Amino acid sequence: MYDIKWIRENPQEFDLGLERRGLQPLSEQVLKMDKDYRSNQTALQEMQSKRNTLSATIGQVKKEGGDVDSIMREVSEIKDKMAVLEEDTKKKGDEIFALLSSLPNTPDASIPTGPDESANVVVRQEGVIPTFSFTPKEHDELGANLGMMDVEQAGKISGARFTFLKGPLARLERALGQFMLDTHTTEHGYMEMDVPLMVRDNAAFGTGQLPKFREDLFQTTNGYWLIPTAEVSLTNSVAGKILEEKDLPLRLTALTPCFRSEAGSAGRDTKGMFRQHQFYKDELVSITTPEDSFNELERMTKCAENILQKLGLPYQVVCLSSGDMSFTSHKTYDLEVWLPGQNRYREISSCSNCGAFQARRMDARFRRPGEKGTQHVHTLNGSGVAVGRALIAVMENYQKEDGSIVIPEVLRPYMGGMTVIKKD
RNA sequence: GGAAAGGUGGCAGAGUGGUCGAAUGCGGCAGACUCGAAAUCUGUUGUACAACUUGUUUGUACCGAGGGUUCGAAUCCCUCCCUUUCCGCCA
């Protein structure tokens, strides 16, 4: 959500941001709407002021036993005019709000401009891509051969994009989630949170899923939205609040299931459990001051990277281009993990600085000591990391020729000391 | 799900149609007293938007949310949300 005052002061910057997003300039239209709205508002306020004064006079005169008929008639006339103006003003205000809330965040000056992922820039690559003396298999084949992954049966009871995991493989997924959560809370200073998985409209609006992306979400029969990421609940934990500067940054993490309809991705990644309607993800959220948010983005990305490093998974960090970034983001780094079975890097995490974009939508503010008024906080979110995809990455990177999977050192304590998963 | 009582400023808590943005207490901030602190005393203390003469200015809105009644609503009416208590059900 844009700050209308900022648009008034930086119309050309506003248009440039839209252009980099592949959209038409709008500043002229927005400023015209804004001007009309404000002149309406001023006229309306003058009427309200007059009405208030006259009404107060009525009270006064009545007390003194005077005659109030003529004043009441006067107020009546004002009221009639007000009703019309009021309606028009509300309409104008709603139109501006609807337009502004449908526009994506401005891309930061530091990120590449481009229409889509082709313009993304690889920032760095870490880890060693493993070599195999055999042709490495994809995770779904490995899982099926082990007898621990059943997509077919899941399809029978739930349809496409669901999976059963069994035995040690199910435990490995749980181990990954616990390992991530423990690492973020004990080493990275994040506070563990347990959050609602179902939210109302206003929360989904706050983080930017609504109104534009409702078709990507699942909704219950009584109107709740299933969270597509814990970002929704974690970030909205400060919705409507005025925080103290000394309490920032807030660093929050939660391990939750995520629910996505995957409406726009029919036919993509249909094999195995790469793209599911339901998956676990450890989410990181930071609430910061405006001056700290860019440093926090670097820090958050490192926290997510640390998980992949500890797991011994090779990956690259990609700075997303203006055309590939999500709706709410100001700057985004994706972490792409190496998948030997697919022989390429695939997204496993996305860390974004949303600036004040979400904070304005949910009215999350902070106060500086000694300063009057409030400012919106900056919000950041990142996957730290997607658990289902981490499972895939571990399976494919740690596979042996006989189809067994070596368990990474850091996960063994979570696996009761088990070192390898093999068919029994 | 049934019944009842409620939702007021950072917190507690008055206010049931007319200078109520809202008493009072606590907290916060500033000052006095003090070598300093505590106690005490004095003052001050919400948010957002708009306007212009950009000011310790003026106006408007905000007492859970949205509607309504009225010349005038924190106060009356309707709908919704939330909280608490009791009952029922339940992991």
Side-chain angles (χ1 to χ4, degrees), chain A residues 191 193 195-196 199 202-203 206-207 230-244 247-253 285-289 354-367 375-380:
Chain A
M191 192 208 290
M193 303 272 282
V195 301
V199 299
N202 56 346
T207 33
E231 168 201 345
V232 175
S233 303
L234 287 175
T235 310
N236 275 290
S237 71
V238 298
K241 289 195 174 178
I242 300 177
L243 305 165
E244 297 299 326
D247 296 328
L248 302 178
L250 285 177
R251 297 193 175 109
L252 312 172
T253 185
V285 160
S286 294
I287 312 294
T288 75
T289 58
C354 297
F357 190 86
Q358 293 178 322
R360 272 191 294 272
R361 293 171 87 94
M362 64 178 69
D363 200 23
R365 292 170 286 168
F366 77 102
R367 205 192 315 264
Q375 282 184 64
H376 286 104
V377 296
H378 278 198
T379 64
L380 299 94

Side-chain angles (χ1 to χ4, degrees), chain A residues 84-154:
Chain A
V84 178
L85 191 58
E86 209 165 340
E87 199 182 324
D88 188 50
T89 307
K90 189 175 171 340
K91 195 173 139 242
K92 285 189 161 77
D94 288 348
E95 279 168 8
I96 294 172
F97 183 82
L99 177 60
L100 292 187
S101 60
S102 74
L103 298 176
N105 202 352
T106 311
D108 183 57
S110 71
I111 73 166
T113 299
D116 50 38
E117 68 274 8
S118 66
N120 294 351
V121 171
V122 175
V123 178
R124 57 181 172 271
Q125 294 186 321
E126 304 282 350
V128 180
I129 291 176
T131 52
F132 296 89
S133 59
F134 56 95
T135 308
K137 294 184 168 63
E138 292 196 46
H139 76 278
D140 53 304
E141 196 180 343
L142 289 165
N145 289 346
L146 285 166
M148 298 177 190
M149 188 182 289
D150 194 341
V151 178
E152 245 173 68
Q153 184 61 20

Side-chain angles (χ1 to χ4, degrees), chain A residues 77-368:
Chain A
E77 280 169 34
I78 295 174
K79 246 185 87 173
D80 291 344
K81 284 190 217 154
M82 263 176 63
V84 178
L85 191 58
E86 209 165 340
E87 199 182 324
D88 188 50
T89 307
K90 189 175 171 340
K91 195 173 139 242
K92 285 189 161 77
D94 288 348
E95 279 168 8
I96 294 172
F97 183 82
L99 177 60
L100 292 187
S101 60
S102 74
L103 298 176
N105 202 352
T106 311
D108 183 57
S110 71
I111 73 166
T113 299
D116 50 38
E117 68 274 8
S118 66
N120 294 351
V121 171
V122 175
V123 178
R124 57 181 172 271
Q125 294 186 321
E126 304 282 350
V128 180
I129 291 176
T131 52
F132 296 89
S133 59
F134 56 95
T135 308
K137 294 184 168 63
E138 292 196 46
H139 76 278
D140 53 304
E141 196 180 343
L142 289 165
N145 289 346
L146 285 166
M148 298 177 190
M149 188 182 289
D150 194 341
V151 178
E152 245 173 68
Q153 184 61 20
K156 283 180 192 162
I157 65 166
S158 301
R161 300 202 188 283
F162 290 93
T163 307
F164 277 108
L165 293 179
K166 302 182 188 179
L169 205 53
R171 186 173 184 180
L172 186 63
E173 184 184 47
R174 178 160 58 91
L176 279 163
Q178 300 305 317
F179 160 70
M180 292 175 199
L181 203 48
D182 284 348
T183 304
H184 293 309
T185 53
T186 62
E187 293 183 27
H188 300 154
Y190 282 83
M191 192 208 290
E192 180 171 351
M193 303 272 282
D194 185 67
V195 301
L197 303 182
M198 296 187 278
V199 299
R200 288 185 201 288
D201 289 6
N202 56 346
F205 177 84
T207 33
Q209 282 75 28
L210 294 183
K212 258 194 116 170
F213 304 103
R214 53 166 43 229
E215 69 280 3
D216 294 333
L217 304 175
F218 287 114
Q219 190 170 31
T220 67
T221 50
N222 54 353
Y224 289 115
W225 301 98
L226 300 188
I227 58 169
T229 156
E231 168 201 345
V232 175
S233 303
L234 287 175
T235 310
N236 275 290
S237 71
V238 298
K241 289 195 174 178
I242 300 177
L243 305 165
E244 297 299 326
E245 187 182 22
K246 66 173 165 55
D247 296 328
L248 302 178
L250 285 177
R251 297 193 175 109
L252 312 172
T253 185
L255 173 65
T256 70
C258 304
F259 304 94
R260 299 189 180 178
S261 75
E262 294 296 345
S265 48
R268 272 218 322 256
D269 302 313
T270 49
K271 241 159 70 85
M273 54 177 287
F274 186 83
R275 190 178 296 277
Q276 301 270 279
H277 284 310
Q278 171 198 322
F279 60 94
Y280 287 97
K281 181 160 57 66
D282 193 321
E283 183 74 359
L284 305 172
V285 160
S286 294
I287 312 294
T288 75
T289 58
E291 62 273 17
D292 282 344
S293 64
F294 278 102
N295 284 338
E296 186 69 15
L297 177 63
E298 300 300 326
R299 184 189 189 277
M300 175 180 276
T301 307
K302 294 277 188 220
C303 292
E305 283 180 61
N306 193 30
I307 295 295
L308 298 182
Q309 287 172 12
K310 281 176 184 284
L311 288 171
L313 296 171
Y315 66 91
Q316 62 182 11
V317 181
V318 177
C319 183
L320 298 192
S321 77
S322 57
D324 196 30
M325 270 195 327
S326 72
F327 181 74
T328 53
S329 181
H330 185 51
K331 179 171 187 172
T332 296
Y333 292 119
D334 270 10
L335 265 46
E336 299 181 344
V337 73
W338 179 257
L339 294 185
Q342 293 192 20
N343 198 39
R344 58 171 171 154
Y345 288 103
R346 295 303 306 266
E347 179 181 346
I348 194 168
S349 169
S350 191
C351 300
S352 301
N353 178 6
C354 297
F357 190 86
Q358 293 178 322
R360 272 191 294 272
R361 293 171 87 94
M362 64 178 69
D363 200 23
R365 292 170 286 168
F366 77 102
R367 205 192 315 264
R368 293 188 204 269

